[in-house]
Amino acid sequence: MSKDKGKTKEKDTGTREQFEKRVTRLGLSDDNLIGLYRTMCTVRQFEYMADRLYAGGKVHGTMHLSAGQEAVAAGISLAVHPDDYLINHHRGHGHFIAKGADINLMMAEFLGKDTGYNRGRGGSMHIADFQSNNLGANGIVGGGIPQAVGVGLALQMQKRKEICICIFGDGAANEGVFHEAMNMVALWKLPVLYICENNKYGMSMDVERATAKLPIAQRADAYGIPWACVDGNDVVEVYDAMKIAAEHVRSGKGPYFVETITYRYFGHSKSDRNLYRSKEEIEDWKQNRDPIMRFTKHLLQSEILDEGRAQEIDGQAEQVILKAVEFAEASPEPDLSTLMEFVYA
Amino acid sequence: MPEISYLEAIRQALWQEMKRDERVFLLGEDIGRYGGAFGLTHDMLDEFGPERVRETPISEATIVATAIGASLLGMRPVAEIMFMDFVMLALDQIANQAAKMHFMFGGHTTVPIVIRMPGGSGAGAASQHSQSLESVLMHFPGLKVVNPSTPYDAKGLMLASLRDPNPVCFVEHKVLYKTKGEVPEGDYTIPIGVADIKRPGHDITVVANNIMVMKTLNVAEKLSKDGIEVEVIDPRTLLPLDTETIINSVAHTGRLLVVHEACLTGGWAGEVIACVVGSPAFDYIDSPVRRLGGKDIPIPYNRGLEKFAIPQEADIEQEIRALVEGKI
Ligand SMILES: Cc1ncc(C[n+]2csc(CCOP(=O)(O)OP(=O)(O)O)c2C)c(N)n1
Ligand SMILES: [Mg+2]
């Protein structure tokens, strides 16, 4: 896996027949498939808008965009229940959107407004929505991984049906707490689905320079946790793997670990000149492996969508984002008199 | 003398010492091709190679622990913690290990490591990337905590830190990185544990660190026009703290204000004030001794809130005026 650093051919997602057979086997309806497409379009539109807003000086803080990784977010969200718990990491916009977040409130938070999910206190890196069991993103790499143990433990103690989805990056897997958490979660057979979103880099660090043995998911073996490593830019493959994993976890058999191989298009954060990877590499992923492009090709081929409808859906996604920007820009800043609020409950 | 930035001054010290002493090497996240999150180690990989500009996985505890281990065999490692906030992940290695080894082992070994870490708010990086944790690090005897505010001090103190036989936490400030000042090209050290009087004055002593030095100097300049002469002291090192310079100053001015960005409660201002009021300078104090610190809140994301989470020049001015004019 992922040894192919040079020029690569378009990653094949199979023929029309293979795609249709797989979709039928998975019981995915046209509506499901169109929903996946819509989610991916919305995430991408959000991320490109975020980049534009930043470039236009409208955002003061930092941000981590997930363009290129949309299939992971979309695939997970269809495979799990809406009320499952989510523990997210800093590159979290896509996962929130896929979980059904209110884009207006996300955008408002991104612009630091009082109407935002975190009342402007958290920003891009900390969006949370406890009403929808979205337990928040983390600015400390790896910070959420061990917290998922506690969420899983509570779910088990309360005999609940929900599971905990914990998402983190390839870089985060090298924090020590990763190993502590894997051991405990396996030891207690907790209902946690760990998802390592491997986008090939932790900031500028190539996953192959940072990880003694790949795939990262094979580390789960050491703890007796079942695992899979899948093409994270193939939304149906992501869905397939997540479905199996989520069912395993929900059935009380304990944790599961899925690694998704994907790629981020933008720099790591706002101030990244991409010195650590080549333009060719970035272009290769964009031209030949783009998750939306690959999926769209199948949808067109299998006549689930036509060009017109595909563009219409993307246009609708864009409208949602534009409305969110309007909402966010019209929203008030937090009042200075509230500076001391929320420190203690 | 050439004018260079605070960031370049630290880089120059690292560069020159790596040329002079081959035991010195860097380790940390993204310090190679990327040049460090703030660009401080730019081009050092090309000059010194991947052995001595050693990039690590995201593993703060083991980064510091690796530095400790290597230092036990005579190496002189410089560990970079990308944002000071992440030092909390390595605190066991710093506080329970590095700080205590010389003592616990009866003085038979030393841990000559430098741990660099930029702190401070102002970049919109929110609660987990903006803290000023220098006061936390002061609580561990055996550690040194260095905290320069100018390019000149930064270079001299870095060279001194690199040659110190003890573990040194070298606290930088993100907002200072771009500030410029005159820095000699050659080798010089500034002794650790010696404060600097950044501006002499006789009406009040203001002790401040990192960006608060700049802010206080601006205020002092302004107040001077109104006939208030502020003595501005930058401790430069928080542990060990140069209480003598501060006490002498207060004995002379009769008034004391301490200003820091770190949260007020538990902040190092309390330490300074305790030292002063417990000293013979107490007899010379004419007005309440006061401190101004960051609000006791996590740093907010929103720009407006973020700004007012820490002392502003107007706050410093108001405090000084109130003290000097006897209104407090
Ligand atoms: C404890 C900690 N160390 C370092 C950082 C700085 N940092 C933020 S994101 C990041 C890279 C994370 O890589 P990965 O886990 O692969 O996630 P990705 O950004 O690729 O999505 C780093 C080093 C941090 N925020 N927290
Ligand atoms: Mg990554």
Side-chain angles (χ1 to χ4, degrees):
Chain A
M1 54 140 303
S2 71
K3 281 276 175 233
D4 45 339
K5 281 223 284 212
K7 196 100 188 103
T8 47
K9 287 202 297 295
E10 175 177 347
K11 176 85 162 62
D12 199 10
T13 37
T15 61
R16 173 174 179 168
E17 288 66 39
Q18 285 167 327
F19 177 78
E20 288 173 1
K21 237 171 111 180
R22 194 176 192 193
V23 161
T24 310
R25 172 175 65 79
L26 293 170
L28 288 170
S29 67
D30 285 6
D31 277 355
N32 289 148
L33 296 171
I34 292 169
L36 287 172
Y37 173 74
R38 184 184 296 278
T39 302
M40 289 200 281
C41 290
T42 311
V43 175
R44 178 147 311 174
Q45 291 282 358
F46 188 97
E47 300 299 49
Y48 275 82
M49 178 57 77
D51 183 59
R52 253 178 292 161
L53 289 171
Y54 184 79
K58 298 240 165 102
V59 186
H60 162 57
T62 195
M63 61 180 187
H64 304 87
L65 306 181
S66 66
Q69 309 182 194
E70 295 87 349
V72 183
I76 295 169
S77 71
L78 187 62
V80 304
H81 296 174
D83 55 355
D84 283 334
Y85 286 84
L86 172 65
I87 289 198
N88 209 343
H89 72 151
H90 58 281
R91 200 172 304 285
H93 296 167
H95 301 295
F96 295 138
I97 291 171
K99 191 165 170 44
D102 183 325
I103 314 267
N104 285 0
L105 306 191
M106 271 184 72
M107 194 61 86
E109 188 57 36
F110 184 55
L111 296 191
K113 296 301 182 77
D114 199 38
T115 52
Y117 268 125
N118 309 31
R119 304 285 305 271
R121 269 68 176 178
S124 159
M125 202 163 32
H126 301 299
I127 293 171
D129 176 20
F130 291 84
Q131 276 175 0
S132 67
N133 293 351
N134 161 5
L135 303 181
N138 212 311
I140 299 298
V141 167
I145 300 174
Q147 292 169 7
V149 178
V151 175
L153 181 64
L155 287 169
Q156 189 185 64
M157 292 173 80
Q158 296 168 3
K159 303 190 170 42
R160 308 250 301 263
K161 278 278 157 274
E162 300 91 334
I163 64 172
C164 176
I165 321 293
C166 177
I167 298 168
F168 54 94
D170 47 287
N174 291 321
E175 287 285 11
V177 286
F178 170 91
H179 295 279
E180 300 183 3
M182 290 305 131
N183 183 50
M184 276 165 81
V185 85
L187 195 62
W188 296 339
K189 283 200 169 14
L190 300 177
V192 180
L193 168 49
Y194 278 113
I195 297 167
C196 180
E197 193 163 12
N198 177 354
N199 58 5
K200 311 242 307 158
Y201 293 91
M203 211 157 152
S204 71
M205 188 65 148
D206 192 317
V207 66
E208 297 187 26
R209 288 202 296 133
T211 317
K213 188 174 176 196
L214 291 171
I216 293 166
Q218 59 80 30
R219 291 181 183 183
D221 264 342
Y223 303 100
I225 300 174
W227 60 271
C229 180
V230 302
D231 180 348
N233 280 17
D234 178 346
V235 69
V236 178
E237 184 169 330
V238 172
Y239 170 80
D240 192 357
M242 296 301 168
K243 189 85 185 156
I244 294 168
E247 271 165 19
H248 172 96
V249 173
R250 210 179 300 281
S251 72
K253 290 187 197 139
Y256 205 102
F257 192 116
V258 184
E259 177 177 356
T260 58
I261 308 295
T262 182
Y263 198 78
R264 86 172 133 71
Y265 291 169
F266 288 107
H268 165 74
S269 66
K270 58 183 187 181
S271 56
D272 181 338
R273 289 177 294 143
N274 281 318
L275 293 176
Y276 50 88
R277 54 181 186 175
S278 67
K279 277 211 178 65
E280 292 74 42
E281 182 187 292
I282 302 172
E283 279 313 304
D284 178 33
W285 279 84
K286 284 188 178 174
Q287 302 305 327
N288 302 320
R289 306 170 176 215
D290 182 77
I292 300 183
M293 182 193 77
R294 282 165 60 181
F295 189 49
T296 311
K297 204 178 98 185
H298 278 297
L299 295 179
L300 296 176
Q301 228 171 40
S302 298
E303 293 162 61
I304 294 161
L305 285 182
D306 59 26
E307 288 276 3
R309 181 82 181 115
Q311 273 172 21
E312 189 186 316
I313 292 171
D314 192 35
Q316 286 164 350
E318 189 183 7
Q319 286 308 313
V320 169
I321 304 304
L322 288 169
K323 281 225 178 73
V325 174
E326 230 171 83
F327 171 83
E329 289 193 320
S331 291
E333 303 275 332
D335 198 275
L336 259 186
S337 67
T338 64
L339 185 60
M340 303 303 291
E341 281 181 18
F342 313 128
V343 180
Y344 293 100
Chain B
M1 242 189 278
E3 270 219 346
I4 60 172
S5 69
Y6 180 93
L7 180 140
E8 283 300 330
I10 295 168
R11 176 170 174 273
Q12 204 175 83
L14 294 172
W15 187 290
Q16 289 175 2
E17 194 68 356
M18 284 175 78
K19 287 279 177 203
R20 201 188 67 87
D21 182 348
E22 60 182 29
R23 298 171 304 168
V24 178
F25 71 100
L26 313 181
L27 77 169
E29 297 158 13
D30 303 284
I31 61 173
R33 186 65 55 226
Y34 198 87
F38 297 93
L40 196 137
T41 54
H42 69 89
D43 299 333
M44 292 187 79
L45 174 67
D46 289 336
E47 183 68 18
F48 298 102
E51 282 252 305
R52 295 181 74 201
V53 179
R54 186 173 287 270
E55 286 199 282
T56 66
I58 310 172
S59 310
E60 286 77 11
T62 302
I63 291 171
V64 172
T66 302
I68 295 172
S71 78
L72 297 177
L73 273 71
M75 300 300 282
R76 293 262 175 177
V78 182
E80 173 172 313
I81 298 291
M82 191 185 290
F83 284 72
M84 186 178 203
D85 310 67
F86 316 152
V87 85
M88 302 316 269
L89 282 76
L91 204 57
D92 168 58
Q93 291 297 329
I94 295 173
N96 292 330
Q97 315 292 341
K100 296 176 173 52
M101 290 171 97
H102 181 67
F103 179 85
M104 284 190 314
F105 298 141
H108 293 302
T109 191
T110 57
V111 184
I113 64 174
V114 175
I115 310 167
R116 291 186 37 240
M117 54 189 100
S121 62
S127 303
Q128 296 175 333
H129 286 69
S130 306
Q131 296 171 88
S132 298
L133 298 171
E134 49 270 22
S135 308
V136 174
L137 299 170
M138 287 171 70
H139 203 61
F140 307 112
L143 270 192
K144 293 191 177 182
V145 182
V146 173
N147 188 199
S149 71
T150 66
Y152 177 83
D153 289 348
K155 179 174 174 184
L157 281 165
M158 177 51 89
L159 284 169
S161 300
L162 292 165
R163 295 168 196 175
D164 199 280
N166 301 287
V168 177
C169 290
F170 196 89
V171 180
E172 302 162 13
H173 196 292
K174 304 178 192 76
V175 173
L176 286 178
Y177 275 145
K178 289 199 175 119
T179 58
K180 292 203 163 178
E182 289 193 337
V183 176
E185 273 175 282
D187 193 306
Y188 67 96
T189 57
I190 291 174
I192 293 175
V194 178
D196 188 36
I197 299 175
K198 294 288 185 213
R199 180 188 175 107
H202 48 74
D203 292 318
I204 181 170
T205 300
V206 179
V207 182
N209 71 330
N210 61 49
I211 60 163
M212 293 301 159
V213 175
M214 253 174 27
K215 290 189 177 186
T216 306
L217 285 171
N218 291 341
V219 171
E221 183 70 30
K222 183 174 172 199
L223 289 175
S224 174
K225 297 190 181 101
D226 293 347
I228 298 174
E229 295 301 337
V230 180
E231 179 143 298
V232 183
I233 297 185
D234 175 0
R236 300 195 292 196
T237 303
L238 294 174
L239 187 66
L241 188 64
D242 179 1
T243 50
E244 194 184 321
T245 301
I246 298 168
I247 288 167
N248 288 343
S249 171
V250 179
H252 166 69
T253 63
R255 296 187 181 90
L256 173 64
L257 170 68
V258 188
V259 188
H260 56 57
E261 174 172 342
C263 290
L264 189 73
T265 302
W268 60 265
E271 193 58 38
V272 170
I273 290 169
C275 289
V276 170
V277 299
S279 80
F282 183 69
D283 292 338
Y284 301 92
I285 295 174
D286 299 330
S287 61
V289 289
R290 300 267 296 176
R291 57 185 179 153
L292 200 53
K295 298 270 189 310
D296 285 330
I297 58 172
I299 299 292
Y301 171 72
N302 173 273
R303 189 199 303 248
L305 295 184
E306 182 187 28
K307 180 171 171 193
F308 289 102
I310 66 167
Q312 299 300 303
E313 286 182 19
D315 305 319
I316 302 172
E317 181 180 340
Q318 197 184 353
E319 277 290 317
I320 294 175
R321 281 191 189 277
L323 285 170
V324 173
E325 290 162 8
K327 290 184 190 142
I328 297 183

